[in-house]
Structures are given as C-alpha cells and as structure tokens.
Amino acid sequence: MERLTLNSFVNIIVNMKTVLQIKLLPDETQHAALKDTMRVFNEACNHIAEVAFREQCASKFVLQKLVYDEVRKRFGLSAQLTIRAIAKVVEAYKRDKSKPCFFKPTGAVVYDQRILSFKGLEAASILTLQGRLSIAMQMGDYQRLQFGRGHGQADLVRVDGVFYLLLVIETPTAPPIDPNGFIGVDLGIVQIASDSDGGSFSGEAVENVRRRYHTLRKDLQSCGSRSARRHLQRIRRNEARFRRNQNHVISKKLVEKAKDTERGIALENLRYIRERTTVRKPDRAKHSGWSFFQLQSFIEYKAKLNGIPVQYVDPRHTSRQCAACGHTEKANRKTQSRFQCVSCGHVANADKNAAMNIAARANVN
Ligand SMILES: [Zn+2]
C-alpha cells in the first residue's frame, strides 16, 4: 500500500497510506438519515451485484448503462452515490466472480469529494437520502494534525451504532537510516516487551485487565440473556481497546529509542512461535497471538515513518542461548526471570538475554 516517488537525488521519499478514523456526532435526525442511506446504499449494491453476476459484467462502464437509471429511480439514490455503488460492486465482483456478491445493510458507503466535504475540522458535509447534512466530527490531536493529508475520499462505516469516516491519508516517511546495530525486542507476558538494553514494558496492567474481564465474561456467559450478550461485546471491545493503547505506547517508546541511538529494530518472526518450547509457552497461549502481531505491526509502521529499519529473525532457542558465549542449553534458564549460563557463568535477566540474542541475529544478517 505504498507509492514510491524518486526525487532528483538519492533520497527515496515513500508515502505510507494509513487510515484516519473520525468519529461523527450526528443528532438524532442525522443519525437516522445516515442509517437509512447506508441501508439503501447496500440494498442498491445487492441489486447491482445480481445484475453484474447475471450479465457476467465486471465493467463499470457497461454496468452503469445497464443499471444506472433503474437504481436511481428504484432506490432514490443520488447520481454520485449510484456511481459509487456501481464501483463498489465492480470491485467486489472482480475479486470473486463465482457468485453474486452480498453486502450487509451495515456495509461501508463509499464517499468521494463530490458528495463529502469538510467544514474545517469541525464538521463534515455528507450527502444522504435527505440531502446534504452538516454533521459534527470529533477528532483527537493526532487526527487534527493528520487531517489535511486526506484527499476527500472516505468510507462511512457504522460500528456498534456509532458512525465513523475512514479517511485514507498519505504520510511521508523518513529516508531509511544506515543503522549502528539493532535493538532486539523479546515478546512475553510477564514483560510484554523487553529490549536488549534491559528496558522492559510490564504486562502486569494488561494481565490485570485481562483477568478482570475474564471473570466478568464467565459470569455473563452463564447468564446468556440478550443484555448479557451485549455487555459481553462491550467488554471485548474495551479489552481490545486497552491492548491497542498499550501497544501504541510501547511501540512509540521503542521506535523513539531506536531513533535516538540510530539503531534498527530486530523482532521475532512469530511464525516460529508454535515451535518454541520455553517456560513461557503456556503464558503465550493464554495471551492471544494477535496482540503480539498488532504490537509488531505498530512497531513496523512507526519505524518506517522514522526511517528505522526493522528486521525479523528466527527466535528459536533465544531464551536458552547464552548471549555472552553462545552456549545453548535448557538448564541455562534458571527461572522465569533469571538466566545463568552453565558453560561460562554469565548471569542476566532472562528477557534481556533473549532480546540480546535477537539483536545479535539481526546484526549477522
Ligand atoms: Zn555462556
């Protein structure tokens, strides 16, 4: 998802595409209008999808001739929303021509500059079945800063009854640095992330939240009512949001450290995770794998924006190997936190030792 532009000298400027999620604050009437528009837009998409499938047609131009007038009349969609619906169907149909595509009533509505515009940072002017509505937006500092990079193309989505605009923005990345070695990052539960300098991010807060939600979830699951189910959904969302925030904080600090010391970042290739047999294995299973993937992907994109190289290494035996002499034996790992080499006597914090091995493996490459 990146565009390369070569400038006249040696620097390569890469624009990275990221998505800005902007919360809309519609009043009651506006909320109903957005909901209606979304439902009808997707109904129209389903109708167009049937025609596309029946006619085996993946051409926007041809499909438009076939359905445009009918869709406008039958669904009351504006000209531009009809065009967007056709485009959405063509895109989906091209991906899978084996059956008519189906769109949920809450599927995204695609907006472009003709039907969506912004009034500063305060409001979006959005075309609905009730005409154009000026709807208040809620933005944080980061979003305000990045907002200008959007191109007026956005998806309107609805998540748990809340409407958002997903705005694609292009952020220029820094030219890659020539690193002075690597910072190794070891992932775990007791310490979510430990680096090869001895820095670490405790998993305690995350673990506490997880445990609290786990108990709550059990209580609610045994209950089984509709409100319990809804409550469960909210809990899952809160837990995910908490982890996401945590991952943002950790990745930001690690990338800042790498930038300050002009080093690259070495990460574990998580594909090997299942092959690992360390004392942390039961812990790892407990933690869902996706949050490690999420942390790594946050590190990777923040590193990219700052020109910091990221390398993935084979993490096998990193927790049993001595970072000082290279001797690898299970007995080196004395406890969860303590490493003592049976060959050379090197003593270290076990996570730091593992992170140093990860850094060393990146240096070799
Ligand atoms: Zn040793």
Side-chain angles (χ1 to χ4, degrees):
M1 284 254 295
E2 27 178 270
R3 188 166 57 83
L4 285 167
T5 341
L6 271 174
N7 75 6
S8 45
F9 293 107
V10 278
N11 282 349
I12 297 173
I13 312 288
V14 180
N15 280 327
M16 204 164 62
K17 278 185 179 168
T18 47
V19 173
L20 218 52
Q21 181 179 309
I22 298 165
K23 189 175 181 179
L24 294 176
L25 305 171
D27 62 29
E28 224 171 287
T29 327
Q30 294 174 332
H31 186 94
L34 289 177
K35 210 171 151 182
D36 252 11
T37 307
M38 184 171 262
R39 181 179 50 79
V40 172
F41 181 84
N42 286 294
E43 276 171 11
C45 283
N46 283 328
H47 174 74
I48 300 165
E50 271 168 33
V51 178
F53 182 70
R54 191 182 65 216
E55 305 292 329
Q56 303 285 295
C57 172
S59 153
K60 234 184 273 188
F61 180 73
V62 177
L63 199 55
Q64 198 172 312
K65 278 193 159 172
L66 288 171
V67 299
Y68 180 83
D69 288 331
E70 192 210 344
V71 166
R72 288 210 58 188
K73 215 184 293 164
R74 185 161 159 188
F75 296 94
L77 281 186
S78 78
Q80 201 54 22
L81 276 173
T82 304
I83 301 284
R84 301 292 9 141
I86 293 168
K88 185 178 174 175
V89 169
V90 167
E91 216 175 279
Y93 179 64
K94 275 182 182 162
R95 273 196 301 269
D96 180 7
K97 294 184 178 174
S98 67
K99 55 179 187 296
C101 343
F102 175 74
F103 301 90
K104 289 185 293 185
T106 52
V109 184
V110 189
Y111 280 90
D112 62 29
Q113 297 96 315
R114 295 190 214 181
I115 44 183
L116 168 73
S117 57
F118 296 102
K119 298 177 173 169
L121 299 172
E122 309 308 321
S125 165
I126 304 174
L127 185 65
T128 69
L129 295 178
Q130 271 72 51
R132 264 184 184 269
L133 299 177
S134 175
I135 299 175
M137 302 187 288
Q138 179 185 305
M139 279 195 255
D141 289 343
Y142 174 76
Q143 280 130 325
R144 286 175 183 278
L145 209 65
Q146 297 292 321
F147 185 71
R149 301 188 187 280
H151 298 295
Q153 289 224 5
D155 279 6
L156 174 72
V157 298
R158 184 159 159 253
V159 184
D160 304 316
V162 180
F163 284 103
Y164 296 91
L165 285 175
L166 303 183
L167 197 64
V168 175
I169 55 167
E170 288 194 15
T171 316
T173 62
I177 63 160
D178 186 16
N180 279 318
F182 284 83
I183 301 178
V185 181
D186 179 70
L187 302 176
I189 300 301
V190 180
Q191 304 297 336
I192 296 181
S194 308
D195 69 43
S196 47
D197 296 351
S200 63
F201 299 90
S202 168
E204 205 183 329
V206 173
E207 192 48 20
N208 285 341
V209 170
R210 193 195 63 79
R211 222 174 278 135
R212 200 170 70 226
Y213 286 143
H214 186 73
T215 323
L216 252 171
R217 203 178 304 162
K218 266 191 168 164
D219 294 348
L220 285 167
Q221 265 161 356
S222 59
C223 186
S225 71
R226 197 172 156 207
S227 80
R229 269 204 307 279
R230 224 178 292 135
H231 196 163
L232 261 172
Q233 258 181 7
R234 198 173 320 131
I235 286 172
R236 247 174 241 130
R237 274 201 308 280
N238 287 344
E239 193 181 348
R241 194 178 307 131
F242 184 83
R243 282 189 186 174
R244 195 182 169 84
N245 278 341
Q246 194 84 2
N247 283 342
H248 269 305
V249 171
I250 296 171
S251 55
K252 188 173 171 213
K253 291 218 168 117
L254 281 168
V255 170
E256 270 169 10
K257 189 185 247 188
K259 198 179 175 188
D260 289 346
T261 55
E262 299 189 328
R263 282 180 293 175
I265 297 177
L267 299 173
E268 300 169 80
N269 188 333
L270 292 176
R271 264 191 321 204
Y272 294 99
I273 241 183
R274 280 199 200 93
E275 295 164 36
R276 288 182 65 161
T277 45
T278 67
V279 287
R280 288 178 301 165
K281 200 178 176 189
D283 280 340
R284 288 218 184 210
K286 181 167 78 172
H287 207 277
S288 51
W290 69 262
S291 92
F292 284 135
F293 275 109
Q294 186 184 60
L295 176 55
Q296 288 196 337
S297 75
F298 285 1
I299 293 173
E300 194 174 322
Y301 93 74
K302 284 176 185 154
K304 210 171 201 176
L305 289 175
N306 286 284
I308 307 294
V310 170
Q311 248 194 58
Y312 287 90
V313 305
D314 179 353
R316 279 176 292 188
H317 306 304
T318 42
S319 57
R320 297 173 177 188
Q321 186 183 12
C322 172
C325 75
H327 179 73
T328 304
E329 194 176 327
K330 198 176 176 184
N332 283 347
R333 180 87 178 248
K334 297 300 179 200
T335 64
Q336 150 64 33
S337 63
R338 189 156 169 276
F339 185 94
Q340 186 181 356
C341 179
V342 296
S343 173
C344 77
H346 171 70
V347 174
N349 169 281
D351 294 328
K352 184 188 175 189
N353 180 75
M356 286 172 74
N357 287 325
I358 291 166
R361 288 178 194 192
N363 277 326
V364 173
N365 292 341

mmCIF file of all heavy atoms in Angstrom, residues 182-185 194-200 254 257-258 261 263 351-352 355-356 359:
data_model
loop_
_atom_site.group_PDB
_atom_site.id
_atom_site.type_symbol
_atom_site.label_atom_id
_atom_site.label_comp_id
_atom_site.label_asym_id
_atom_site.label_seq_id
_atom_site.Cartn_x
_atom_site.Cartn_y
_atom_site.Cartn_z
ATOM 1 N N PHE A 182 21.435 -3.114 16.092
ATOM 2 C CA PHE A 182 19.996 -3.291 16.281
ATOM 3 C C PHE A 182 19.606 -3.376 17.759
ATOM 4 O O PHE A 182 20.391 -3.823 18.580
ATOM 5 C CB PHE A 182 19.546 -4.591 15.592
ATOM 6 C CG PHE A 182 19.452 -4.470 14.101
ATOM 7 C CD1 PHE A 182 20.587 -4.605 13.306
ATOM 8 C CD2 PHE A 182 18.236 -4.206 13.492
ATOM 9 C CE1 PHE A 182 20.515 -4.476 11.930
ATOM 10 C CE2 PHE A 182 18.154 -4.080 12.105
ATOM 11 C CZ PHE A 182 19.293 -4.221 11.333
ATOM 12 N N ILE A 183 18.395 -2.940 18.043
ATOM 13 C CA ILE A 183 17.798 -3.199 19.354
ATOM 14 C C ILE A 183 16.958 -4.461 19.192
ATOM 15 O O ILE A 183 16.103 -4.523 18.312
ATOM 16 C CB ILE A 183 16.862 -2.052 19.788
ATOM 17 C CG1 ILE A 183 17.622 -0.726 19.860
ATOM 18 C CG2 ILE A 183 16.212 -2.372 21.130
ATOM 19 C CD1 ILE A 183 16.723 0.452 20.229
ATOM 20 N N GLY A 184 17.215 -5.465 20.012
ATOM 21 C CA GLY A 184 16.414 -6.682 19.953
ATOM 22 C C GLY A 184 15.198 -6.538 20.851
ATOM 23 O O GLY A 184 15.281 -5.947 21.923
ATOM 24 N N VAL A 185 14.054 -7.041 20.401
ATOM 25 C CA VAL A 185 12.828 -6.955 21.206
ATOM 26 C C VAL A 185 12.248 -8.348 21.409
ATOM 27 O O VAL A 185 11.909 -9.041 20.448
ATOM 28 C CB VAL A 185 11.775 -6.044 20.534
ATOM 29 C CG1 VAL A 185 10.520 -5.952 21.396
ATOM 30 C CG2 VAL A 185 12.344 -4.661 20.281
ATOM 31 N N SER A 194 10.617 -6.769 26.067
ATOM 32 C CA SER A 194 11.891 -6.475 26.726
ATOM 33 C C SER A 194 12.894 -6.187 25.630
ATOM 34 O O SER A 194 12.923 -6.889 24.621
ATOM 35 C CB SER A 194 12.376 -7.679 27.538
ATOM 36 O OG SER A 194 11.364 -8.120 28.404
ATOM 37 N N ASP A 195 13.710 -5.133 25.824
ATOM 38 C CA ASP A 195 14.696 -4.854 24.782
ATOM 39 C C ASP A 195 16.096 -5.250 25.220
ATOM 40 O O ASP A 195 16.334 -5.524 26.398
ATOM 41 C CB ASP A 195 14.596 -3.394 24.296
ATOM 42 C CG ASP A 195 15.033 -2.400 25.350
ATOM 43 O OD1 ASP A 195 16.054 -2.642 26.019
ATOM 44 O OD2 ASP A 195 14.342 -1.371 25.498
ATOM 45 N N SER A 196 17.005 -5.264 24.266
ATOM 46 C CA SER A 196 18.355 -5.767 24.535
ATOM 47 C C SER A 196 19.189 -4.794 25.368
ATOM 48 O O SER A 196 20.294 -5.118 25.779
ATOM 49 C CB SER A 196 19.066 -6.076 23.217
ATOM 50 O OG SER A 196 18.903 -5.001 22.319
ATOM 51 N N ASP A 197 18.664 -3.591 25.644
ATOM 52 C CA ASP A 197 19.351 -2.662 26.547
ATOM 53 C C ASP A 197 18.928 -2.890 27.986
ATOM 54 O O ASP A 197 19.415 -2.241 28.899
ATOM 55 C CB ASP A 197 19.016 -1.202 26.197
ATOM 56 C CG ASP A 197 19.516 -0.803 24.825
ATOM 57 O OD1 ASP A 197 20.266 -1.601 24.227
ATOM 58 O OD2 ASP A 197 19.161 0.295 24.360
ATOM 59 N N GLY A 198 17.977 -3.780 28.194
ATOM 60 C CA GLY A 198 17.488 -4.038 29.548
ATOM 61 C C GLY A 198 16.190 -3.309 29.864
ATOM 62 O O GLY A 198 15.653 -3.427 30.956
ATOM 63 N N GLY A 199 15.691 -2.534 28.921
ATOM 64 C CA GLY A 199 14.408 -1.858 29.134
ATOM 65 C C GLY A 199 13.264 -2.842 28.976
ATOM 66 O O GLY A 199 13.386 -3.826 28.240
ATOM 67 N N SER A 200 12.167 -2.619 29.699
ATOM 68 C CA SER A 200 11.046 -3.546 29.538
ATOM 69 C C SER A 200 9.719 -2.855 29.803
ATOM 70 O O SER A 200 9.658 -1.812 30.452
ATOM 71 C CB SER A 200 11.209 -4.738 30.473
ATOM 72 O OG SER A 200 11.182 -4.301 31.810
ATOM 73 N N LEU A 254 9.739 2.345 21.852
ATOM 74 C CA LEU A 254 10.818 1.561 21.236
ATOM 75 C C LEU A 254 11.376 2.259 19.997
ATOM 76 O O LEU A 254 12.585 2.317 19.791
ATOM 77 C CB LEU A 254 10.317 0.158 20.869
ATOM 78 C CG LEU A 254 10.226 -0.828 22.040
ATOM 79 C CD1 LEU A 254 9.446 -2.068 21.627
ATOM 80 C CD2 LEU A 254 11.622 -1.216 22.537
ATOM 81 N N LYS A 257 13.520 5.208 20.985
ATOM 82 C CA LYS A 257 14.830 4.767 21.450
ATOM 83 C C LYS A 257 15.732 4.424 20.260
ATOM 84 O O LYS A 257 16.903 4.813 20.218
ATOM 85 C CB LYS A 257 14.657 3.533 22.351
ATOM 86 C CG LYS A 257 15.939 3.118 23.062
ATOM 87 C CD LYS A 257 15.734 1.831 23.841
ATOM 88 C CE LYS A 257 15.823 2.080 25.345
ATOM 89 N NZ LYS A 257 15.816 0.828 26.121
ATOM 90 N N ALA A 258 15.173 3.725 19.282
ATOM 91 C CA ALA A 258 15.949 3.346 18.101
ATOM 92 C C ALA A 258 16.401 4.589 17.344
ATOM 93 O O ALA A 258 17.541 4.689 16.896
ATOM 94 C CB ALA A 258 15.113 2.442 17.197
ATOM 95 N N THR A 261 19.232 6.499 19.118
ATOM 96 C CA THR A 261 20.535 5.833 19.125
ATOM 97 C C THR A 261 20.931 5.360 17.723
ATOM 98 O O THR A 261 21.922 4.646 17.565
ATOM 99 C CB THR A 261 20.507 4.626 20.081
ATOM 100 O OG1 THR A 261 19.419 3.765 19.711
ATOM 101 C CG2 THR A 261 20.306 5.059 21.522
ATOM 102 N N ARG A 263 19.713 3.144 15.733
ATOM 103 C CA ARG A 263 19.778 1.699 15.533
ATOM 104 C C ARG A 263 18.522 1.196 14.827
ATOM 105 O O ARG A 263 17.486 1.867 14.834
ATOM 106 C CB ARG A 263 19.904 0.983 16.894
ATOM 107 C CG ARG A 263 21.317 1.047 17.475
ATOM 108 C CD ARG A 263 21.401 0.341 18.803
ATOM 109 N NE ARG A 263 20.635 1.041 19.830
ATOM 110 C CZ ARG A 263 20.477 0.574 21.070
ATOM 111 N NH1 ARG A 263 21.020 -0.577 21.432
ATOM 112 N NH2 ARG A 263 19.784 1.265 21.959
ATOM 113 N N ASP A 351 14.839 -12.178 30.041
ATOM 114 C CA ASP A 351 14.244 -11.491 28.891
ATOM 115 C C ASP A 351 15.281 -10.654 28.146
ATOM 116 O O ASP A 351 15.294 -10.602 26.917
ATOM 117 C CB ASP A 351 13.092 -10.584 29.343
ATOM 118 C CG ASP A 351 11.922 -11.393 29.891
ATOM 119 O OD1 ASP A 351 11.710 -12.525 29.397
ATOM 120 O OD2 ASP A 351 11.235 -10.901 30.804
ATOM 121 N N LYS A 352 16.152 -9.999 28.932
ATOM 122 C CA LYS A 352 17.196 -9.180 28.312
ATOM 123 C C LYS A 352 18.147 -10.076 27.522
ATOM 124 O O LYS A 352 18.543 -9.745 26.394
ATOM 125 C CB LYS A 352 17.968 -8.400 29.377
ATOM 126 C CG LYS A 352 18.990 -7.464 28.773
ATOM 127 C CD LYS A 352 19.896 -6.823 29.811
ATOM 128 C CE LYS A 352 20.977 -6.005 29.090
ATOM 129 N NZ LYS A 352 22.007 -5.526 30.025
ATOM 130 N N ALA A 355 16.504 -10.967 24.328
ATOM 131 C CA ALA A 355 16.461 -9.803 23.433
ATOM 132 C C ALA A 355 17.839 -9.538 22.820
ATOM 133 O O ALA A 355 17.945 -9.140 21.656
ATOM 134 C CB ALA A 355 15.965 -8.569 24.192
ATOM 135 N N MET A 356 18.909 -9.789 23.613
ATOM 136 C CA MET A 356 20.267 -9.600 23.085
ATOM 137 C C MET A 356 20.559 -10.604 21.972
ATOM 138 O O MET A 356 21.214 -10.271 20.975
ATOM 139 C CB MET A 356 21.299 -9.734 24.207
ATOM 140 C CG MET A 356 21.326 -8.518 25.136
ATOM 141 S SD MET A 356 22.363 -8.775 26.585
ATOM 142 C CE MET A 356 23.996 -8.656 25.835
ATOM 143 N N ALA A 359 18.818 -9.341 18.897
ATOM 144 C CA ALA A 359 19.599 -8.240 18.295
ATOM 145 C C ALA A 359 20.793 -8.807 17.536
ATOM 146 O O ALA A 359 21.083 -8.382 16.408
ATOM 147 C CB ALA A 359 20.055 -7.276 19.379
#
